[in-house]
Amino acid sequence: MSGGYTGKILEIDVTTQKTFVSDTDLDFCKQFIGAKGLGAKILFDTLPKNTDPLSPENLLLFTTGPLTGTKIQTSGRGTVVTKSPSTGLYLDSHFGGIFASDMKKAGWDVINIKGKSEKPIYIEIKDDLVTFHDAKDLWGMECQKTHEKLQKIHGKMRTAVIGPAGENLVKFSSITIEGHRHAGRGGPGAVMGSKNVKAIIVSGSKKVPLHDEDAYNAQAKEILKKIKENDFVPLRKQFGTPYWVKPVNDEGFIPTRNFQEGQFEHGDDLSAETMVDHIVDSSGACFNCIIACWNKSSIKQGPHKGISLVGPEYETLALMGTNLEIKTVEEVAFLNERCNELGMDTISLGCVLGFAIEAYQKGLIEKKDLNDINIDWGDTEEIARFIHAIAYRKGKAADILSEGVKYASEQFGKNSSSYAIHAKGLEIPGYDPRGTNGMGIAYATSDRGGCHQRAWVAKAELYDPELDRFSFEKKAKMVKEIQDERAAFFSLVLCDFAPISEEDCVEMWNHATGFDHTVDSYLKCGERIWNLIRLFNIREGLKENSDILPERFFTDSFSKGPAKDRVLSKKEFQQSIQEYYQIRGWDQKGIPTEKKLKTLGLDSYKK
Ligand code: SF4
């Protein structure tokens, strides 16, 4: 086996509690890199068509890449790949911490979990040794407590756990890594819960093999130097993602009151500067990362004094803060901690709560269905009670909403789909496309539904003088190119926030493996991965005209801020989507053409 990969895939059938080891296919690795790409390939090849995401047949894949666990900065990232219960489509959800590094050092490129255990269990993986443990004492426990209890029993093993929301199959439940990082989006926690697996713990003692270790480590040092010299890294280090609250609020596209407005009058009270003044104690980092963007925080005043957490991140400040009219960082931190402990994604939950409050105010939810909870904008305590109800599916409304906004709007009817903020069933993050049009194309075409990480063009739209953020011009090409580049990058797999050039990525991949890729062939891998996932989604039921956005973005305008009175033009949006298809080499229905698939070596996949 080439360096960079361990060469081994661990398959675990939790129904029979049997394990099976297979070889990682080097030809696949050359074409699909690892992590995201390798997971997509395995999912496409081995998951039966139309598998119910919460059935025993679904696969829960923990994947690493050829750079995972090595000396390059941010190499502690890992990926969960599965069929999403939120969207019924492809899902990958990335996580930080050190779990993935230990998984690789235990000898595994991929851990592939399928089946359904008769009783709750957790799985211990110590190098080659796999042990199944009864989890009856852990079932029902919140995430941090589960993590602590497992470490008390097993020592410093790395943990991936679910909370009560995952156990109760909430469609946007997350997997929590080492107590405070998250594979958050798209409901991987529900997939794990459906298998009756409460936790996976791992430790590894092996060395990651490298083809040319001296060249690899020398270049890792060069990359470290470049990261230290990067202009944006000090801000990332000082503030983390909350840095973006102020510019996005000032420029008028932060979600406010379920995306009814783009600017929140108390936005400055949720800014990074306020966080640093009020709640941040210190910074922290994932495995091998000098950027150290985590904010380790604790609440120092008010009714929730003493609660500590890592966060809140920008997305939480937006979706659980401005979007719900929560006015202080302490209150957002409290709600964030509740979501973390119950095991739910704060982006999706923030959209669900915003939708619920609006639907309730419009008379679509009856008071009796809320179990005496009086949800309202800015009411932190009642919102916290409702978060708990959703995690446990308590009450008719909470049970419906635990399926996500798409399903809930189908149940509530009466035009509520127009303000159910999602793309393909995945709720939309914290950049309203009425103030950053390119994000509209990014959300609509993202491979996992409403996601900002596949092509985060908001920063360029704000600061590049060549771009007009209120226009779709140039955005289709830009989104396509970033999607391909990110697909490759997330397959290596490194952190979104690491400023590492394509050239350096390719060199490191080659030093690790002995491959002879170029930047062009690396980017082509990204394009290949993107197209394979598109074929998977079409196979699983993605229809024509699915690359769309909620109606609100086309009809409702803001009453204030720099994006005041603006709506998206549907005609221009649709033209931009067609332009995107054309640039991708897809037909007018968004299906990859034979010609395009042939250039990517994917022609046999269409049949
Ligand atoms: S930049 Fe932040 S999220 Fe990324 S690896 Fe470093 S500490 Fe983790």
Side-chain angles (χ1 to χ4, degrees), residues 40 45 54 116 169 178 194 196 207 226 280 301-302 331 346 353 362 405 435 478 526 546 550 560:
D45 287 348
L54 298 181
K116 179 177 182 177
L169 310 183
E178 292 140 50
S194 74
N196 266 334
K207 201 173 163 206
K226 288 180 199 170
V280 176
Q301 59 185 18
E331 289 169 283
T346 56
L353 292 164
K362 289 187 163 137
V405 294
M478 198 174 157
S546 293
K560 59 187 173 190

Side-chain angles (χ1 to χ4, degrees), residues 73-77 96-97 181 236 284-294 313 494-498:
Q73 287 288 298
T74 79
S75 65
R77 306 283 295 176
R181 304 316 288 169
R236 180 78 74 193
C286 303
F287 171 76
N288 194 19
C289 178
I290 196 181
I291 303 169
C293 76
W294 305 356
E313 301 286 351
L494 298 171
C495 177
D496 233 4
F497 306 147

Side-chain angles (χ1 to χ4, degrees), residues 313-416:
E313 301 286 351
Y314 167 81
E315 298 297 338
T316 308
L317 289 157
L319 276 309
M320 305 286 297
T322 59
N323 196 45
L324 305 179
E325 295 202 339
I326 304 296
K327 298 182 186 67
T328 70
V329 288
E330 285 83 1
E331 289 169 283
V332 178
F334 164 59
L335 295 177
N336 191 171
E337 191 265 355
R338 285 294 77 223
C339 296
N340 289 354
E341 293 312 315
L342 294 163
M344 288 183 283
D345 171 38
T346 56
I347 297 176
S348 284
L349 183 57
C351 285
V352 164
L353 292 164
F355 171 80
I357 295 170
E358 188 171 350
Y360 178 49
Q361 291 183 343
K362 289 187 163 137
L364 273 62
I365 300 176
E366 291 186 48
K367 200 164 183 182
K368 67 176 171 52
D369 294 333
L370 287 168
N371 279 16
D372 284 333
I373 302 172
N374 190 27
I375 49 173
D376 199 359
W377 307 118
D379 192 334
T380 303
E381 300 307 320
E382 290 298 282
I383 287 172
R385 287 179 67 207
F386 199 55
I387 288 172
H388 191 270
I390 288 174
Y392 287 91
R393 292 176 173 263
K394 271 194 189 151
K396 189 177 170 190
D399 188 39
I400 290 171
L401 288 155
S402 70
E403 298 282 314
V405 294
K406 179 171 183 283
Y407 176 84
S409 67
E410 287 161 4
Q411 301 305 304
F412 297 153
K414 295 194 181 148
N415 197 37
S416 61

